[in-house]
Amino acid sequence: MRLYQTRPDKKLWGWFHAIAWPVFFTALLIPLRQHISPTDVAMLQLVWISWMAQRYGKTLAITSTLVSVLALNWCFVPPYYTLHVHDTRNLISFVVMASLGIFISYLSDRINRQLQKTRNLMSQLRGMYMLAKGLASRSDWQGQCAFAQKLLSRRLRAPVRLYASAVAPAAEAGLCQLPLGKPQPAGWLVLPQALLLPNHNLLHAAQSLLSQSHAALELKHEANKNLLRVESEQQRAMLLRSLSHDLRTPLATIMGASSMLADTELTLSDEQRQQQALNIYRHSKLLQQHFEKVLELSKAQLADVQLTYSQFSSDDLIAGALARRSELATDIAQRLACPPPQALSGDAGLLEIALANLLENAQKYGAGRIELGCERVKQWQRLVLRNHLPSAGTASGNAADAGHGLGIRICETVAALHQGRFSFVLDKTQAVAVLEWPL
């Protein structure tokens, strides 16, 4: 198998050097015929034959050997300027010279082929290293295919196409298709058929590396899904624990107050009965609010691992959150300072639930001013709700979500499902809630 091609102009010059130069060189030595022997001329001719074999290969070197033998016989062996050989010793010299020239040609051609093969192999090894390094630095299948296509086209000096699709491209004459990925193809490598054999090491390594890279991406994707599923289960467990705690408190109050009213042996004044009935009403209303939040989360399919991502405006998010708390919308809207419209992305339903709970929680800290900030910092999206407390610096007695209630837990769960963070800080002058999640 020939690993390199000789250019046409180089081949013509090779034939010229193989035929013309031995004759011309031997003719230049004719004036020195009385001072040098035919053996010396043969040694000088062997130097030229060795150079020809190294430069142009064995065919032209053998041709140059035969021409040199004929020129030596013509110019330096008596009778001169004829091809007759009277002395058998000269005939033996010609045979030895021709054999030695042919042997040198074969050896030089073999070395050249091994050198070309080694260079080709080293080039393919370097291409394998660059391909492995480049694939490791890219985290998506499309980007890996684009990088491999550019690298292979440059290394092979031929158009190479990679299709990052399981559907095989249309077959074309002179092109071969290599599938990428096992057991089902995830892409196709298309290149000229003539490049397959000379570069089979690089191409098979590229096929294997791309298949392994796709399998690694699939495993990473599955691992992320499993991790998200585990985190979702953890958030659901935490939410259920918080829900159990928040439901038990008003339920225990209702049961205690109703048992006092139902006890016939216990004498209560009208004022005490009215107070117990008021406690039952208040905690029943709080219990109803908790159930509404649970139903709200159920409608948003909180248990589903796959979130529904979409693009929306911050104004739409605020309007949706106020619509979920219609009984408080009028009071909150009068105190709320909204930010300029900002483009956001995420699960709009879950983010509306989180913001509605934040607004409801802020309403419980008195009649202070409420500031809502919306911003995008680098790769993060952020909602900041700042509630300025009254001058007394204390929250109203109705603040059931004072940093640990069900509304705060819901916000933490929504942030975790978006791979984000939630924080709540309460001091003497303000209550600040920050919900942020990546793009």
Side-chain angles (χ1 to χ4, degrees):
M1 178 179 62
R2 192 171 182 82
L3 301 177
Y4 59 93
Q5 298 293 332
T6 305
R7 294 180 304 176
D9 56 343
K10 182 178 179 181
K11 190 172 183 179
L12 291 177
W13 273 107
W15 283 106
F16 175 77
H17 290 158
I19 297 174
W21 276 105
V23 175
F24 179 71
F25 176 73
T26 306
L28 288 178
L29 295 178
I30 291 177
L32 302 177
R33 191 160 47 190
Q34 302 300 324
H35 304 283
I36 58 177
S37 65
T39 305
D40 298 330
V41 178
M43 294 298 102
L44 293 176
Q45 288 178 336
L46 284 177
V47 174
W48 176 256
I49 293 171
S50 301
W51 183 85
M52 286 291 299
Q54 180 68 25
R55 178 69 175 174
Y56 295 103
K58 66 177 181 180
T59 301
L60 294 179
I62 293 175
T63 303
S64 182
T65 300
L66 298 178
V67 173
S68 298
V69 170
L70 293 176
L72 178 63
N73 185 19
W74 184 272
C75 298
F76 283 88
V77 176
Y80 300 124
Y81 310 116
T82 66
L83 295 179
H84 296 288
V85 180
H86 298 290
D87 192 347
T88 56
R89 291 177 298 178
N90 292 331
L91 184 61
I92 296 175
S93 299
F94 294 155
V95 173
V96 171
M97 177 183 173
S99 301
L100 187 59
I102 294 173
F103 182 68
I104 291 174
S105 301
Y106 271 100
L107 287 180
S108 181
D109 184 76
R110 183 176 178 181
I111 293 174
N112 281 335
R113 288 180 178 273
Q114 291 179 350
L115 180 61
Q116 291 292 337
K117 187 176 180 179
T118 302
R119 287 177 177 174
N120 189 32
L121 182 59
M122 292 299 296
S123 176
Q124 293 185 53
L125 290 176
R126 178 173 176 79
M128 297 176 196
Y129 168 75
M130 296 175 63
L131 181 62
K133 183 178 179 181
L135 292 179
S137 62
R138 286 160 176 80
S139 58
D140 62 294
W141 179 237
Q142 297 287 344
Q144 289 181 349
C145 288
F147 168 77
Q149 174 176 312
K150 183 178 180 181
L151 176 64
L152 293 176
S153 299
R154 186 173 67 249
R155 301 296 300 183
L156 301 180
R157 296 183 177 88
V160 176
R161 289 174 290 175
L162 266 83
Y163 297 90
S165 173
V167 180
E172 300 181 24
L175 298 180
C176 63
Q177 299 178 355
L178 302 179
L180 306 176
K182 295 180 180 180
Q184 298 296 329
W188 296 87
L189 175 62
V190 180
L191 72 158
Q193 183 72 36
L195 296 177
L196 186 58
L197 288 179
N199 304 280
H200 66 279
N201 292 324
L202 175 59
L203 293 175
H204 291 167
Q207 186 182 13
S208 177
L209 286 173
L210 286 168
S211 300
Q212 294 176 18
S213 180
H214 181 266
L217 291 177
E218 290 292 326
L219 291 176
K220 183 178 179 181
H221 180 64
E222 290 296 329
N224 290 335
K225 288 176 62 177
N226 293 333
L227 179 61
L228 183 59
R229 186 178 293 109
V230 171
E231 291 180 353
S232 176
E233 293 296 333
Q234 293 176 351
Q235 294 299 326
R236 290 175 59 194
M238 182 187 68
L239 187 61
L240 289 175
R241 288 194 298 268
S242 178
L243 179 61
S244 176
H245 175 270
D246 287 345
L247 291 180
R248 284 175 180 172
T249 302
L251 185 60
T253 303
I254 293 173
M255 293 176 63
S258 59
S259 63
M260 291 179 62
L261 294 177
D263 193 350
T264 57
E265 297 180 0
L266 186 61
T267 304
L268 298 175
S269 63
D270 294 340
E271 183 179 355
Q272 290 175 332
R273 289 180 178 276
Q274 184 179 7
Q275 182 64 36
Q276 295 301 322
L278 183 59
N279 287 338
I280 293 175
Y281 172 73
R282 288 177 177 174
H283 286 84
S284 297
K285 188 175 181 180
L286 181 59
L287 193 62
Q288 181 187 9
Q289 293 177 356
H290 288 336
F291 276 115
E292 288 178 352
K293 292 179 181 179
V294 174
L295 292 175
E296 196 174 41
L297 289 175
S298 177
K299 292 179 181 178
Q301 297 180 351
L302 181 60
D304 191 5
V305 176
Q306 297 293 337
L307 302 182
T308 305
Y309 278 83
S310 61
Q311 301 285 337
F312 53 88
S313 173
S314 59
D315 289 345
D316 297 336
L317 181 65
I318 297 171
L322 291 175
R324 291 178 181 270
R325 297 294 183 270
S326 56
E327 69 280 0
L328 305 175
T330 303
D331 179 60
I332 294 177
Q334 293 176 354
R335 301 158 49 196
L336 181 63
C338 297
Q342 178 73 36
L344 301 175
S345 63
D347 193 311
L350 290 179
L351 292 174
E352 284 181 5
I353 292 174
L355 183 56
N357 281 278
L358 289 179
L359 293 175
E360 180 183 2
N361 196 42
Q363 193 269 343
K364 299 175 183 179
Y365 288 96
R369 183 165 55 90
I370 303 174
E371 295 180 358
L372 178 61
C374 179
E375 57 186 5
R376 296 173 64 173
V377 181
K378 294 183 179 179
Q379 297 297 321
W380 289 87
Q381 305 170 94
R382 183 179 300 165
L383 288 176
V384 181
L385 188 68
R386 193 182 306 274
N387 184 34
H388 296 273
L389 301 182
S391 57
T394 58
S396 64
N398 217 8
D401 271 352
H404 59 273
L406 183 60
I408 298 300
R409 296 302 182 192
I410 291 175
C411 293
E412 292 176 349
T413 303
V414 172
L417 290 175
H418 283 81
Q419 304 296 307
R421 301 182 291 265
F422 176 78
S423 63
F424 181 83
V425 179
L426 175 64
D427 55 29
K428 295 182 179 180
T429 60
Q430 61 183 1
V432 181
V434 179
L435 174 64
E436 55 183 357
W437 67 100
L439 286 172

